[in-house]
Each structure stands twice: as structure tokens, then as C-alpha cells.
């Protein structure tokens, strides 16, 4: 038979212990130096494998989530964004709302950090091992319409939407939907009701959501009824972070910030 190290590599492959051969030499050396017992050594090896496996799962979940950028609550400047309810955002970071299949709805003007907070919560979720999907409302509607046209709507709803414990739908209200699109969107909201969590963001107050949904106030009311039933509404006030940065850089002298 070949060398022991080769036999170990084959065993690891068969047992799908993907990281063990990488961590083994250093662990073995440390065990020798510390005169470690067999059980302690085995424990160290298995622990290292588990940690590496969890890291790989988290990385895979980030990839799967479609997050366009990695943002965190720590990089969110609450000093600037005084109109953001800091305590509420911190509480939501515990992700208990996902366990309870509740929704988070971020409302506020453009540039006030809605997407940032949604991304941060979604990233947290991936790090907690939760299957998460981030998409804009426009993308969601496009995919739903395509699936509908191709006669695979049911499959799409089950796999591409239902397969995620957290669904983030960003920018509701930027692009008004046609009636058919509004119906498809309604179906997603209705399917997830009390089954799995969502984060929604919009620049429109609820009273104007019908504008986004083909002007259909009946459909919008029925949808909001479900979406809001178990929900946390994060109402953001304030000015745009983007404009503030541009203004600071002297690029937009005509725009004044509030404190001036
Ligand atoms: P919205 O979705 O409300 O239009 P974004 O979350 O996209 O706004 O914010 C615009 C940009 O400004 C992003 O790059 C975001 O990371 C950044 N940003 C917004 N608010 C803050 C803040 N309070 N602290 C740090 N970065 C911020
Ligand atoms: Mg946004």
C-alpha cells in the first residue's frame, strides 16, 4: 500500500472531510509538541473540520443570496442618520424576526440607507446559516413574468422563492407594475404569509403603494393586509447620504443640507 498520508487523503475524500488534509499537518505537530492525548487530538481535528465546513457554508450562502454588496450594521453611521431608529435596527439584527416568520419593512426617501440596512440584515442572516435571497422588485417581477410565460411559474415560486427562509425585495415603488405583474407579486407575498420572513424596502408610504401595483387599490390593500400583519416597520427620515457626500466633495453646491 502507498504512504499513510495518501491513504489518509483517500479516506478524507471518501468521508467528505474536505478540509482535514489541509489542517492535519499543523494540528499533528501541535499535538506532538503539547504531548496531546488521542481523544484531545481527535477532538481538535474534528473541531477544525467543523469550523472550516461552517465557513464554507456561510460563503456559499453569501454567493447564493445575490447580495450586490456586503454592508454591515457596524459600517452604518447612526450619527449621520439620526432619522434611523438605531435601537430597532439593532434589535432586528438578532434575526428573531426570521425565526418568527415576520417581515421588516424599511420606508423612507431615496439615499437614506434602506438598502444598506436590508443588505446588512441579509448578510447577517447568511452568516447565521439562513438561506437568503436578495432581489429588487423589478428583478423579481421580471423573473416571475418570464416563469409565467414559460409555464413554469409554480416551479419558480417553489424553488426560487420558496426555497429561501429570508427574501429581500428592494425598491418597491420605483418601477410601477402592470396588472399581471402586480398579480404575480401579490402571489409571492401571499405564499410567504406566516411561512417565511421578508425584508421589503420602499420610497413610497403605504398610502401610495397602489401606484406601484397598477393602481389596483383592492389588490394593494389585500397584499398590505398580509404583509403588515406580522411586521416591523422601520420608518426612516432624513436626507440622502449620497447627496451629502457629493455636497461635501463640493460637487453639488446648489444643494443644501438640513443643518445649514
Ligand atoms: P436607499 O436604499 O435608502 O436609497 P442606500 O442604502 O442605497 O439608500 O444608501 C446610499 C448609499 O449611502 C449606500 O452606499 C449606503 O451604504 C450609504 N449610506 C446611506 N446611509 C448611510 C449611513 N447612515 N452610514 C453609512 N453609509 C450610508
Ligand atoms: Mg435603495
Amino acid at each position: 500500500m502507498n504512504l499513510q498520508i495518501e491513504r489518509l487523503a483517500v479516506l478524507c475524500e471518501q468521508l467528505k472531510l474536505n478540509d482535514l488534509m489541509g489542517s492535519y499537518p499543523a494540528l499533528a505537530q501541535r499535538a506532538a509538541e503539547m504531548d496531546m492525548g488521542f481523544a484531545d487530538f481527535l477532538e481538535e481535528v474534528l473541531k477544525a473540520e467543523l469550523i472550516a465546513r461552517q465557513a464554507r457554508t456561510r460563503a456559499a450562502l453569501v454567493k447564493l443570496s445575490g447580495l450586490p454588496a456586503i454592508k454591515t450594521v457596524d459600517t452604518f453611521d447612526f450619527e449621520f442618520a439620526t432619522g434611523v431608529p438605531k435601537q430597532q435596527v439593532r434589535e432586528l439584527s438578532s434575526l428573531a424576526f426570521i425565526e418568527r416568520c415576520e417581515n421588516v419593512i424599511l420606508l423612507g426617501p431615496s439615499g437614506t440607507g434602506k438598502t444598506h440596512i436590508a443588505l446588512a440584515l441579509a448578510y447577517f442572516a447568511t452568516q447565521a446559516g439562513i438561506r437568503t435571497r436578495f432581489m429588487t422588485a423589478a428583478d423579481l417581477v421580471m423573473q416571475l413574468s418570464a416563469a409565467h410565460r414559460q409555464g413554469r411559474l409554480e416551479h419558480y415560486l417553489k424553488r426560487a422563492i420558496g426555497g429561501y427562509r429570508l427574501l429581500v425585495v428592494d425598491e418597491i415603488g420605483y418601477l410601477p407594475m402592470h396588472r399581471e405583474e402586480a398579480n404575480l407579486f401579490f402571489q409571492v407575498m401571499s405564499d410567504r404569509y406566516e411561512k417565511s420572513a421578508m425584508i421589503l424596502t420602499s420610497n413610497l408610504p403605504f398610502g401610495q403603494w397602489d401606484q406601484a401595483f397598477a393602481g389596483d387599490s383592492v389588490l394593494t390593500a389585500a397584499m398590505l393586509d398580509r404583509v403588515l400583519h406580522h411586521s416591523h416597520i422601520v420608518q426612516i427620515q432624513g436626507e440622502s447620504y449620497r447627496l451629502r457626500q457629493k455636497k461635501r466633495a463640493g460637487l453639488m453646491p446648489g444643494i443644501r443640507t438640513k443643518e445649514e
Side-chain angles (χ1 to χ4, degrees), residues 71 75-81 84 108-117 170-171 174 201 236 240-242 245:
K71 303 267 177 176
T75 61
F76 193 79
D77 181 358
F78 286 98
E79 301 283 309
F80 168 78
V84 177
S110 179
T112 50
K114 301 182 298 294
T115 301
H116 186 127
I117 295 169
D170 196 23
E171 298 183 349
Y174 277 133
T201 84
I236 301 181
S240 166
Y241 195 82
R242 297 187 192 100
Q245 279 185 324

Side-chain angles (χ1 to χ4, degrees), residues 10-243:
V10 171
L11 284 169
C12 285
E13 202 184 322
Q14 286 173 337
L15 289 165
K16 300 201 185 341
L17 299 168
N18 298 327
D19 295 278
L20 205 149
M21 283 316 287
S23 59
Y24 168 78
L27 288 172
Q29 192 179 346
R30 205 167 76 92
E33 281 163 12
M34 293 175 63
D35 207 10
M36 213 180 261
F38 294 125
D40 286 341
F41 174 62
L42 184 60
E43 188 177 347
E44 288 296 311
V45 166
L46 294 178
K47 244 197 290 187
E49 178 67 21
L50 181 67
I51 288 168
R53 194 172 285 193
Q54 287 169 336
R56 256 189 294 123
T57 302
R58 287 195 296 268
L61 285 174
V62 170
K63 221 167 157 193
L64 188 73
S65 68
L67 292 176
I70 303 295
K71 303 267 177 176
T72 62
V73 174
D74 289 342
T75 61
F76 193 79
D77 181 358
F78 286 98
E79 301 283 309
F80 168 78
T82 48
V84 177
K86 181 175 177 179
Q87 193 52 35
Q88 192 186 16
V89 172
R90 294 239 177 261
E91 274 164 29
L92 291 170
S93 306
S94 76
L95 305 181
F97 77 94
I98 300 177
E99 294 303 324
R100 295 198 290 253
C101 303
E102 295 168 349
N103 300 322
V104 173
I105 302 148
L106 295 145
L107 296 179
S110 179
T112 50
K114 301 182 298 294
T115 301
H116 186 127
I117 295 169
L119 285 168
L121 294 175
Y123 178 68
F124 260 144
T126 61
Q127 299 309 287
I130 293 168
R131 275 174 69 91
T132 299
R133 181 82 179 115
F134 182 101
M135 60 212 309
T136 61
D139 281 344
L140 174 59
V141 162
M142 209 168 62
Q143 291 180 19
L144 285 165
S145 300
H148 187 46
R149 264 197 317 275
Q150 293 158 9
R152 48 180 189 84
L153 181 62
E154 210 172 312
H155 182 262
Y156 178 81
L157 287 172
K158 206 163 161 200
R159 286 292 161 87
I161 303 294
Y164 296 94
R165 273 175 67 203
L166 175 64
L167 173 69
V168 186
V169 184
D170 196 23
E171 298 183 349
I172 294 173
Y174 277 133
L175 275 186
M177 297 173 200
H178 299 298
R179 181 164 296 273
E180 182 63 37
E181 294 170 335
N183 281 331
L184 291 168
F185 194 94
F186 175 85
Q187 200 166 334
V188 172
M189 298 296 116
S190 158
D191 280 359
R192 294 188 73 89
Y193 175 57
E194 294 190 329
K195 282 206 214 87
S196 39
M198 289 190 288
I199 300 176
L200 310 178
T201 84
S202 180
N203 58 327
L204 294 179
F206 292 124
Q208 292 172 26
W209 273 37
D210 58 347
Q211 290 173 17
F213 296 99
D216 188 335
S217 52
V218 175
L219 174 139
T220 306
M223 185 174 69
L224 283 176
D225 192 41
R226 287 163 176 76
V227 166
L228 297 179
H229 187 193
H230 309 285
S231 67
H232 306 262
I233 296 161
V234 183
Q235 180 67 57
I236 301 181
Q237 264 120 28
E239 59 177 317
S240 166
Y241 195 82
R242 297 187 192 100
L243 291 185

